[in-house]
Amino acid sequence: MENTFIQNNGMEIKEGKIYRSHVGDLVKILKIDLKKNSVKVYNISDSANSWHRIDAAIKDNKFKVEV
């Protein structure tokens, strides 16, 4: 089963996909852990990994468009 979540803007976020973030960076979703409420993201623009809470990503619509 693929780990996904739906943001408040209706956008489905999936592991392995590349998105434009709310600040304009290109990011790849590496891992979605629904049990730990975390999403691991590789920021292509900054060449760095980051972690976000899924509930915050949903509320803030952190990912704007799939690339």
Side-chain angles (χ1 to χ4, degrees), residues 45-60:
S45 301
D46 292 341
S47 299
N49 287 324
S50 62
W51 290 261
H52 302 279
R53 288 186 1 251
I54 292 173
D55 59 351
I58 290 170
K59 181 176 78 64
D60 298 339

Side-chain angles (χ1 to χ4, degrees), residues 6 29 31-32 42-44 67:
I6 309 278
I29 306 299
K31 179 159 180 61
I32 296 172
Y42 177 70
N43 186 321
I44 297 166
V67 178

Side-chain angles (χ1 to χ4, degrees), residues 18-29:
I18 297 174
Y19 298 92
R20 180 83 54 193
S21 75
H22 68 298
V23 294
D25 292 338
L26 282 176
V27 296
K28 181 174 183 177
I29 306 299

Side-chain angles (χ1 to χ4, degrees), residues 29-47:
I29 306 299
L30 298 178
K31 179 159 180 61
I32 296 172
D33 190 330
L34 299 172
K35 290 181 182 176
K36 293 183 179 179
N37 187 36
S38 69
V39 56
K40 183 176 181 182
V41 176
Y42 177 70
N43 186 321
I44 297 166
S45 301
D46 292 341
S47 299

Side-chain angles (χ1 to χ4, degrees), residues 2-15 17 19 29 32 63 65-66:
E2 188 174 24
N3 286 332
T4 67
F5 63 90
I6 309 278
Q7 297 185 138
N8 284 340
N9 63 2
M11 188 172 186
E12 184 177 21
I13 306 303
K14 298 180 181 181
E15 284 182 359
K17 298 288 184 179
Y19 298 92
I29 306 299
I32 296 172
F63 309 105
V65 64
E66 187 176 338

